[in-house]
């Protein structure tokens, strides 16, 4: 609509209508026609103001940001939802709504996992009422929309009722936490993974079993809908959880694919104490039997379990800050080292690997892999293949062996070798040795080298003793 200058004494048709409508209002309530300049203050062309005052188009954030005057008296005839707040101060109206909110929060809600009921209430499901937002809108009725809309609100409140609404809802995160902690974790039936056993005739695979679990997202939506349909009745909400089939992580058909040897390695652990040998055997047993599905990541230190007497570990020689000491679990680094070399030959992705602080006797410098609970060292790898792999290890009293099985998809004419090279070595009179070394991966096709990649470079400090019992 085009603006007109009051000083030229020309008023638009809408301006005349505004003046006529406002003539019935006292100057204390709304601007009268006697003050035409005030009429021309609002020249907005936004006709959306004719929508209801609790329209979704209104910004809750904007209205709630208004500083409430708790002593302000609300207009007579005003309701917020079914609660009459006319003539109350904002503080009194807030108390009324807050009490009603707390009572509504005690409304019961029951979720059934098949025939198993799990009871709670709306408060625990994160019941939310936009109380302050509704009070802000109630306090600023005269400021909403253009003058025609303000006049309409005033007329609605004259000898009748005017209703505002609160937004009422449950909080998704609270509902999902309830479903997870008190329904799914209690009643869900976990799937059963297939198990693989290596026999003299190959591999045997057990049958997997599906599980049954709560579909959290679908059940949350059912609860939210049930509340929306029942938000003003305050009667118990009852919902049956949506359940879904949960497939095992290691299915039988996938494990049946495992049949080929991808890489292997062994080292001699016979030189050392009897307790150290026990630790090598315990750690090997803990790691052996690991199935790694495509994309899964394995921490070897975690697979070894905590190095405690309860887990079968004994005191043995291990490196602590460059010094060999007796400690629970000494010797387990020979297990991680042997596995590391088998993983290299299988070309499994290595995510984390550390060398020892001193050289060890059971592999060349550059081929070791240390693990330490206290020192933050670990051997971590990820199955970067499209099929599962199986880690098998065993000991025979002299050697520790590791094998990596899976599906061999590498060409027969392609060969991979790993070469450790020392670039510096210095012997010390007291028996220690200082070494720098690096490890390379070499790929040949039909006997011809096609690539040579340096994997890592290591430095080993000298020690006052190096007797083959180093971890």
């Amino acid at each position: 609509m085009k603006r007109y200058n009051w000083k030229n004494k020309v008023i638009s048709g809408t301006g005349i209508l505004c003046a006529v409508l406002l003539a019935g209002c006292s100057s204390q309530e709304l601007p009268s026609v006697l003050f035409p300049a005030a009429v021309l203050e609002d020249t907005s062309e936004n006709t959306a103001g004719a929508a209801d005052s609790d329209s979704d188009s209104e910004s809750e954030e904007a209205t709630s940001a208004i500083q409430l005057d708790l002593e302000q008296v609300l207009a007579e005839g005003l309701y917020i939802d079914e609660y009459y707040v006319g003539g109350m101060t904002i503080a009194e109206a807030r108390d009324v709504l807050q009490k009603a909110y707390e009572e509504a929060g005690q409304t019961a809600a029951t979720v059934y996992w098949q025939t198993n009921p799990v009871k709670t209430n709306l408060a625990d499901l994160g019941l939310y009422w936009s109380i302050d937002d509704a009070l802000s809108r109630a306090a600023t009725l005269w400021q909403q929309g253009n003058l025609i809309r303000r006049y309409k609100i005033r007329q609605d409140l004259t000898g009748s009722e005017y209703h505002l609404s609160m937004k009422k809802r449950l909080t998704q995160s609270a509902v999902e936490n309830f479903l997870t902690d008190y329904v799914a974790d209690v009643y869900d039936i976990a799937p059963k993974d297939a198990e693989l056993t290596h026999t003299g005739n190959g591999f045997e695979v057990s049958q997997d079993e599906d599980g049954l679990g709560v579909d959290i997202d679908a059940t949350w939506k059912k609860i939210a809908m049930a509340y929306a349909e029942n938000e003003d009745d305050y009667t118990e909400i009852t919902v049956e959880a949506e359940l879904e089939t949960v497939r095992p992580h290691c299915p039988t058909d996938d494990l049946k694919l495992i049949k080929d040897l991808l890489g292997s390695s062994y080292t001699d652990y016979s030189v050392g104490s009897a307790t150290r040998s026990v630790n090598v055997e315990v750690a090997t047993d803990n790691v052996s039997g690991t199935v790694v599905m495509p994309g899964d990541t394995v921490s070897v230190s975690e697979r070894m379990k905590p190095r405690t007497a309860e887990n079968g570990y004994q005191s043995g020689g291990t490196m602590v800050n460059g010094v060999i000491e007796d400690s629970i679990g000494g010797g387990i680094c020979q297990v991680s080292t042997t596995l590391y070399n088998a993983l290299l030959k299988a070309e499994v992705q290595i995510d984390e690997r550390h060398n020892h602080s001193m050289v060890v006797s059971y592999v060349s410098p550059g081929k070791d892999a240390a693990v330490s609970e206290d020192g933050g060292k670990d051997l971590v790898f990820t199955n970067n293949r499209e099929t599962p792999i199986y880690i098998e290890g065993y000991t025979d009293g002299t050697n520790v062996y590791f094998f990596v099985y899976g599906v061999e998809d590498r060409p027969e004419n392609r060969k991979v070798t790993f070469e450790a090279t020392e670039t510096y070595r210095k012997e010390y009179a007291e028996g220690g040795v200082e070494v720098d070394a690096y490890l390379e991966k070499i790929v040949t096709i039909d006997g011809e080298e096609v690539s040579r990649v340096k994997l890592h470079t290591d430095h080993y400090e000298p020690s006052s003793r190096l007797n083959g019992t180093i971890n």
Side-chain angles (χ1 to χ4, degrees):
M1 184 184 72
K2 185 176 181 181
R3 293 190 181 187
Y4 292 92
N5 190 330
W6 177 255
K7 291 182 179 179
N8 294 331
K9 300 182 181 180
V10 179
I11 306 178
S12 68
T14 303
I16 294 173
L17 176 60
C18 289
V20 172
L21 290 173
L22 294 173
C25 303
S26 72
S27 59
Q28 293 179 344
E29 296 171 345
L30 289 173
S32 75
V33 72
L34 299 177
F35 300 93
V39 175
L40 296 179
E41 283 178 0
D42 191 321
T43 56
S44 169
E45 298 182 16
N46 179 15
T47 59
D52 291 341
S53 59
D54 58 346
S55 167
D56 289 340
S57 63
E58 295 182 337
S59 169
E60 179 177 342
E61 291 77 10
T63 54
S64 62
I66 297 174
Q67 185 66 36
L68 292 175
D69 178 2
L70 299 182
E71 298 304 315
Q72 178 181 343
V73 177
L74 299 175
E76 294 290 346
L78 182 61
Y79 285 81
I80 296 180
D81 284 342
E82 67 267 37
Y83 307 104
Y84 184 71
V85 295
M88 296 183 186
T89 65
I90 289 180
E92 292 169 339
R94 178 186 276 171
D95 288 343
V96 169
L97 297 177
Q98 183 65 31
K99 181 179 179 181
Y101 164 76
E102 291 173 359
E103 291 176 354
Q106 298 308 308
T107 302
T110 303
V111 176
Y112 281 87
W113 196 104
Q114 292 185 335
T115 59
N116 301 297
V118 183
K119 295 185 177 295
T120 185
N121 58 46
L122 298 186
D124 290 340
L125 298 181
L127 179 64
Y128 169 78
W129 285 9
S130 60
I131 293 175
D132 279 359
D133 169 66
L135 290 173
S136 294
R137 287 183 286 128
T140 58
L141 280 175
W142 316 123
Q143 302 172 23
Q144 297 176 20
N146 56 32
L147 287 175
I148 295 178
R149 185 186 178 207
R150 297 180 200 178
Y151 174 78
K152 181 179 182 299
I153 293 172
R154 181 64 187 179
Q155 291 299 104
D156 289 343
L157 286 171
T158 303
S160 60
E161 300 176 356
Y162 191 82
H163 289 261
L164 294 174
S165 296
M166 290 182 288
K167 294 181 180 179
K168 299 177 180 180
R169 58 177 170 77
L170 302 179
T171 304
Q172 182 173 354
S173 59
V175 175
E176 290 180 347
N177 288 339
F178 165 76
L179 292 174
T180 300
D181 296 341
Y182 298 100
V183 184
D185 287 355
V186 175
Y187 293 106
D188 278 6
I189 301 172
K192 183 178 179 180
D193 285 336
E195 295 182 356
L196 184 147
T197 305
H198 197 183
T199 68
N201 297 320
F203 293 101
E204 293 181 356
V205 182
S206 66
Q207 182 59 48
D208 63 50
E209 295 180 9
D210 288 341
L212 189 63
V214 177
D215 184 331
I216 300 293
D217 184 63
T219 306
W220 139 250
K221 290 177 180 177
K222 285 183 69 173
I223 293 173
M225 183 176 296
Y227 171 72
E229 295 172 350
N230 195 50
E231 66 178 33
D232 294 326
D233 294 340
Y234 310 119
T235 55
E236 180 177 1
I237 293 174
T238 301
V239 171
E240 291 187 9
E242 288 291 319
L243 303 181
E244 60 183 348
T245 299
V246 182
R247 290 289 296 147
H249 186 62
C250 300
T252 297
D253 290 344
D254 287 359
L255 297 198
K256 284 182 176 180
L257 299 173
I258 297 173
K259 60 182 183 299
D260 302 316
L261 178 62
L262 305 178
S264 65
S265 180
Y266 74 94
T267 59
D268 184 347
Y269 70 97
S270 63
V271 180
S273 66
T275 56
R276 183 183 184 280
S277 296
V278 169
N279 293 334
V280 169
E281 293 162 1
V282 170
T284 299
D285 287 343
N286 288 337
V287 175
S288 183
T290 300
V291 174
V292 191
M293 299 301 291
D296 282 0
T297 297
V298 174
S299 160
V300 174
S301 184
E302 290 180 0
R303 294 295 303 180
M304 290 177 171
K305 299 181 181 178
R307 272 64 96 185
T308 63
E310 291 76 13
N311 286 330
Y313 288 105
Q314 299 183 14
S315 180
T318 188
M319 287 186 187
V320 180
N321 297 321
V323 178
I324 301 173
E325 299 178 355
D326 282 340
S327 66
I328 296 291
I332 61 172
C333 288
Q334 185 163 352
V335 176
S336 57
T337 292
T338 308
L339 174 59
Y340 173 60
N341 284 271
L343 293 169
L344 286 176
K345 294 174 184 178
E347 297 185 85
V348 173
Q349 175 181 312
I350 305 298
D351 302 314
E352 180 183 347
R353 170 262 173 195
H354 303 271
N355 64 292
H356 289 78
S357 55
M358 299 181 293
V359 295
V360 295
S361 62
Y362 42 83
V363 290
S364 303
K367 288 189 171 184
D368 58 324
V371 293
S372 172
E373 283 184 300
D374 298 329
K377 293 182 177 181
D378 197 357
L379 174 62
V380 180
F381 63 92
T382 297
N383 180 5
N384 54 336
R385 308 174 73 86
E386 295 182 355
T387 50
I389 60 175
Y390 175 71
I391 308 297
E392 182 179 54
Y394 70 89
T395 57
D396 62 7
T398 299
N399 296 315
V400 52
Y401 303 85
F402 270 101
F403 306 87
V404 180
Y405 293 95
V407 177
E408 182 59 88
D409 54 6
R410 296 171 292 185
E412 290 186 5
N413 63 340
R414 179 181 178 275
K415 304 299 180 185
V416 179
T417 57
F418 296 86
E419 185 176 292
T421 302
E422 292 186 12
T423 58
Y424 176 82
R425 172 178 282 266
K426 181 179 179 180
E427 303 284 347
Y428 287 82
E430 56 270 30
V433 60
E434 183 177 5
V435 174
D436 288 330
Y438 63 85
L439 183 67
E440 290 180 305
K441 175 182 177 180
I442 304 164
V443 178
T444 62
I445 296 179
D446 293 328
E448 181 177 349
E449 183 177 314
V450 295
S451 69
R452 180 181 290 260
V453 178
K454 184 180 291 187
L455 300 181
H456 49 74
T457 299
D458 303 320
H459 175 74
Y460 302 87
E461 293 288 346
S463 173
S464 59
R465 69 186 179 105
L466 182 63
N467 57 15
T469 62
I470 298 174
N471 183 32

